[in-house]
Amino acid sequence: MIKIDMKNLIMETEEYVKDSLDVSRDMSDEEIEDIITKAVFEKSQKYYMSISQKQLIIKTIFNSLRRLDILQPLLDDDEITEIMVNGPNNIFIEKKGRITKLDAKFENVAKLENIIQNIVSKVNRTINESNPIVDARLIDGSRVHAVVPPIALDGPTLTIRKFPDKPLTIEDLISYGSITNEVADFLEKLVKAKYNIFISGGTGSGKTTFLNTLSNFIYKDERIITIEDSAELKIVNVPNLIRLETRDANTQGKGLIKVSHLIKASLRMRPDRIIVGEVRGEEAIDMLQAMNTGHAGSLSTGHANSSKDMLNRIETMILSSSEIPLGAVRSQIASALDIIIHLGRLRDKSRKVLEINEILGVKDGEINTNTLYKFIKTGEEDKKILGQLSRTENVFINTEKLELAGINLLEDGII
């Protein structure tokens, strides 16, 4: 028996398998795996291979042909939350809040480019030199962002944000220390009473996860419409659910469907609530108008460094896409939004709710807010930040929706 060179053997076997595929039809995974298995057993007559080596070769070739090549084991690892590919030779992962560089590399740039094309084509997106930036998603709902040359100077880049197969519950967030039992009860009442809630936070602070968690409090008999750039939300407890996703323009520049288009379309679908995955631009005014026209209980998220910063960003989004006076914009925001929940990622990599504010309206030309809960740091232990979300002395003012829903926070022992 000839001594085995695993790398060359895998490449040799993969080329043999490619030549054996029937390109005239769409072959199933089972058929391809069967061809790979037969090829490996043929090679084992020339090279000695243990059972584990055979299994590794079969899995590696199958992942290369039908999955995401060397990224597939990373996607299959439940502890990995983010995969960052900076060109073919630099792969980083986030695992348990820590970022690590891997030894794994793509064979060449073409292999990485093929993986990116495979991902985006499955969700009817295109990426090329004229359209070098794209957002997409995997079948399991993982968020994908890809950038290719000439924008990406060091080769194609790929960032994959993974989400757990089983969405986190409010109990999970309590056990992680992100919120307290009291806050969880408070937020449940607000969602059920149809307060319009906006979740703000920086990148990786857990906005989408938190939005998913809040959606579990929605009554099952309601009709919900979700609107996203790339579908990520996993609302599992509402049967009457419509999921809408944007679409890029085709090569002729036609067929573009933006978030703002979908918000307008959703108003004709008789929704009880509209959930916009993330507000980034001109769709802000459409979202606020939807909240102000009988669609109470709507939810959305946005990038910001604080609750106040989020309000300023929404103002900027609207002002940059319309000619509405600033005073009218602030009145629109104040009348549409009821609650802003601000999330943050602390120095120890933990994700926390840092603030919960209610919007009180416009006073002296400024949007007036009332901080109800604030994260108070109490110390550090083994580099872990200690503290919790604590109730401020401020009284909750906007109780009208709670009263209409028959909920009394005082009697329930929450406030």
Side-chain angles (χ1 to χ4, degrees):
M1 289 282 181
I2 301 173
K3 186 177 180 182
I4 188 171
D5 181 334
M6 286 291 285
K7 183 177 180 180
N8 287 332
L9 180 57
I10 289 172
M11 292 174 62
E12 181 183 320
T13 308
E14 184 175 340
E15 289 303 314
Y16 175 81
V17 170
K18 286 179 180 178
D19 293 337
S20 304
L21 298 180
D22 184 354
V23 295
S24 65
R25 64 187 181 87
D26 186 16
M27 301 181 72
S28 67
D29 287 351
E30 291 75 15
E31 289 176 304
I32 290 179
E33 192 166 12
D34 188 48
I35 292 173
I36 296 171
T37 302
K38 288 178 180 177
V40 171
F41 274 90
E42 282 182 23
K43 294 292 181 182
S44 68
Q45 295 176 10
K46 181 179 179 182
Y47 305 97
Y48 171 75
M49 286 181 269
S50 66
I51 293 175
S52 61
Q53 284 176 322
K54 291 176 184 176
Q55 291 174 335
L56 175 62
I57 294 172
I58 292 169
K59 187 173 183 180
T60 301
I61 296 174
F62 182 77
N63 285 341
S64 176
L65 295 177
R66 297 294 271 195
R67 295 293 183 264
L68 297 185
D69 199 41
I70 58 175
L71 300 182
Q72 193 61 47
L74 308 179
L75 288 166
D76 295 336
D77 187 338
D78 293 336
E79 292 188 336
I80 294 175
T81 54
E82 194 118 20
I83 301 168
M84 295 155 276
V85 181
N86 305 343
N89 301 320
N90 295 292
I91 301 176
F92 295 81
I93 60 167
E94 182 185 49
K95 191 171 186 176
K96 296 180 179 179
R98 302 293 174 183
I99 294 177
T100 307
K101 187 178 187 296
L102 303 182
D103 294 329
K105 298 178 181 179
F106 283 93
E107 293 174 23
N108 47 51
V109 173
K111 193 73 174 181
L112 175 54
E113 289 175 341
N114 288 339
I115 292 296
I116 293 173
Q117 291 293 348
N118 183 35
I119 292 172
V120 302
S121 64
K122 288 182 177 178
V123 289
N124 298 315
R125 304 286 168 101
T126 57
I127 186 167
N128 47 46
E129 285 190 8
S130 59
N131 182 39
I133 302 173
V134 71
D135 288 305
R137 57 179 165 80
L138 301 180
I139 296 173
D140 65 0
S142 297
R143 178 198 305 165
V144 177
H145 182 76
V147 185
V148 298
I151 300 300
L153 302 181
D154 299 318
T157 70
L158 182 66
T159 307
I160 302 176
R161 170 75 57 82
K162 293 172 58 183
F163 297 100
D165 292 333
K166 182 183 177 184
L168 295 181
T169 64
I170 203 74
E171 288 77 20
D172 292 325
L173 296 184
I174 293 171
S175 68
Y176 297 154
S178 298
I179 58 174
T180 63
N181 280 293
E182 177 189 324
V183 174
D185 290 341
F186 177 56
L187 294 178
E188 179 178 0
K189 303 296 191 240
L190 294 184
V191 172
K192 289 183 173 177
K194 291 195 171 184
Y195 280 74
N196 290 324
I197 299 175
F198 202 97
I199 301 165
S200 68
T203 301
S205 58
K207 297 184 296 296
T208 302
T209 297
F210 202 84
L211 180 55
N212 260 326
T213 304
L214 290 185
S215 71
N216 292 326
F217 295 138
I218 296 174
Y219 290 114
K220 294 183 179 181
D221 61 351
E222 294 187 36
R223 180 171 170 82
I224 310 301
I225 297 178
T226 66
I227 297 170
E228 302 173 84
D229 276 325
S230 294
E232 302 166 7
L233 295 172
K234 292 184 178 180
I235 299 176
V236 296
N237 67 323
V238 179
N240 196 350
L241 173 68
I242 296 175
R243 302 167 70 225
L244 302 178
E245 185 179 65
T246 61
R247 185 179 70 189
D248 292 335
N250 60 22
T251 52
Q252 288 78 41
K254 299 180 179 180
L256 176 66
I257 304 293
K258 299 186 288 187
V259 170
S260 56
H261 297 151
L262 295 178
I263 292 175
K264 291 173 183 175
S266 70
L267 299 177
R268 296 187 285 272
M269 298 182 188
R270 198 236 166 261
D272 288 307
R273 303 181 195 234
I274 298 171
I275 298 178
V276 181
E278 184 178 339
V279 173
R280 298 176 181 172
E282 63 184 28
E283 66 273 6
I285 184 63
D286 299 298
M287 180 200 69
L288 295 180
Q289 287 175 347
M291 290 179 173
N292 271 327
T293 53
H295 300 93
S298 295
L299 307 167
S300 189
T301 76
H303 277 83
N305 295 320
S306 67
S307 298
K308 182 175 178 55
D309 182 38
M310 190 70 251
L311 292 172
N312 291 335
R313 286 206 64 216
I314 294 174
E315 282 182 17
T316 303
M317 291 176 200
I318 297 173
L319 290 172
S320 63
S321 60
S322 70
E323 297 181 358
I324 304 174
L326 177 59
V329 169
R330 289 179 174 172
S331 295
Q332 182 92 315
I333 294 171
S335 62
L337 297 182
D338 297 311
I339 299 289
I340 291 187
I341 302 170
H342 184 69
L343 312 182
R345 194 172 184 187
L346 304 184
R347 191 172 65 255
D348 62 358
K349 310 301 181 183
S350 63
R351 297 173 175 88
K352 307 284 187 184
V353 176
L354 300 182
E355 272 189 358
I356 298 178
N357 292 275
E358 66 169 325
I359 310 299
L360 296 181
V362 177
K363 184 178 181 181
D364 298 328
E366 299 286 337
I367 297 176
N368 193 19
T369 62
N370 181 30
T371 303
L372 301 173
Y373 288 90
K374 193 174 183 67
F375 181 81
I376 305 297
K377 178 183 173 182
T378 57
E380 291 189 31
E381 185 177 295
D382 297 327
K383 296 184 179 180
K384 182 177 177 63
I385 294 176
L386 305 178
Q388 71 172 23
L389 196 61
S390 301
R391 183 75 175 89
T392 68
E393 296 180 353
N394 299 335
V395 177
F396 185 40
I397 304 297
N398 296 325
T399 60
E400 183 179 352
K401 288 184 178 180
L402 288 167
E403 292 165 1
L404 290 172
I407 298 172
N408 188 314
L409 294 181
L410 201 58
E411 289 180 359
D412 292 341
I414 298 174
I415 282 185

